[in-house]
Amino acid sequence: MLPDMCQNVPQQLPKEWKTERSIIQDSVETDVPELQKVYDERAYIGELTGYDDPRENPMLAEFRHETLPPDGRAELHRVQSIFEKQTKEFVGYLICYHGFPDHETLWIAVLAIRPTFQRQKLGKEVIDALSIETKKLGTFHRMGISIGTGNEPAMKFWSSCGFTQIVKTIDHGEHKEEWRVKPL
């Protein structure tokens, strides 16, 4: 199930799509400071999972497509900013990879929601809409996510979104992660 990640993917997520309360659109360079703020606000996750990110500016690296899966291609990597629909306030970001770890999977590298917007079901709303957008593409049969096993809130959240099938567990020594998928 895990090989084939370099096959061409004919369709990708739209550059802009919406949920009931949010607008999700491809990030632009002027979004990078806000992306980094959200990243920094969520630094506590490393304490839960045991993962420490050594990069100086992780969100600039993501925006420049420097953080790709093995044999990954920049054109299949998408960083999207999430804005509150009415106020246009920056809510968070979504990072996806089209066709990892195989050509039938849309991989969610990160869904990050600012702490002030958490527990309002915005993240679930984004994932529900992402599922619909992904189905529309007709290319992918599942979505995947990696979850640090020490991050209980994330485990509960992703399970509630339908990511219950564990396809791989990786022990990095200082932290462990589960790869989970949700069939579409």
Side-chain angles (χ1 to χ4, degrees), residues 4-183:
D4 310 284
M5 67 181 107
C6 285
Q7 291 189 10
N8 289 331
V9 177
Q11 292 187 6
Q12 296 186 22
L13 291 172
K15 293 180 185 290
E16 180 177 300
W17 47 285
K18 298 175 182 175
T19 72
E20 184 179 325
R21 297 177 289 166
S22 302
I23 298 170
I24 300 92
Q25 61 191 33
D26 284 357
S27 298
V28 294
E29 194 164 351
T30 55
D31 290 344
V32 172
E34 286 297 318
L35 295 168
Q36 188 62 44
K37 281 182 192 174
V38 175
Y39 180 91
D40 292 341
E41 290 172 0
R42 300 176 65 256
Y44 66 90
I45 292 173
E47 296 170 17
L48 298 173
T49 64
Y51 175 72
D52 181 34
D53 191 340
R55 298 176 294 172
E56 186 174 323
N57 191 332
M59 294 315 301
L60 182 59
E62 288 286 353
F63 180 76
R64 291 179 176 165
H65 310 292
E66 295 171 3
T67 308
L68 300 174
D71 299 320
R73 298 183 353 227
E75 65 270 17
L76 301 177
H77 180 251
R78 184 70 63 85
V79 179
Q80 295 191 310
S81 299
I82 303 169
F83 297 93
E84 204 277 328
K85 200 182 266 185
Q86 290 183 339
T87 65
K88 307 295 188 246
E89 190 171 349
F90 201 96
V91 172
Y93 57 86
L94 174 69
I95 303 173
C96 293
Y97 192 86
H98 298 82
F100 177 81
D102 58 54
H103 68 279
E104 294 185 351
T105 305
L106 177 79
W107 190 259
I108 303 168
V110 180
L111 170 66
I113 302 294
R114 289 195 122 122
T116 55
F117 287 97
Q118 291 177 1
R119 293 182 176 69
Q120 298 176 31
K121 304 227 182 269
L122 285 169
K124 182 147 179 24
E125 187 177 300
V126 168
I127 295 303
D128 289 346
L130 178 63
S131 297
I132 292 167
E133 292 296 329
T134 303
K135 282 180 193 177
K136 285 182 195 176
L137 298 175
T139 305
F140 304 105
H141 300 289
R142 68 190 144 270
M143 296 189 321
I145 184 77
S146 170
I147 310 166
T149 58
N151 189 345
E152 282 301 316
M155 293 286 221
K156 289 178 185 176
F157 170 77
W158 290 107
S159 291
S160 76
C161 292
F163 291 80
T164 55
Q165 183 183 355
I166 300 169
V167 295
K168 187 174 187 177
T169 301
I170 303 171
D171 186 344
H172 297 282
E174 67 283 351
H175 71 281
K176 292 181 183 178
E177 64 180 287
E178 287 181 357
W179 287 18
R180 293 186 178 197
V181 296
K182 170 186 178 174

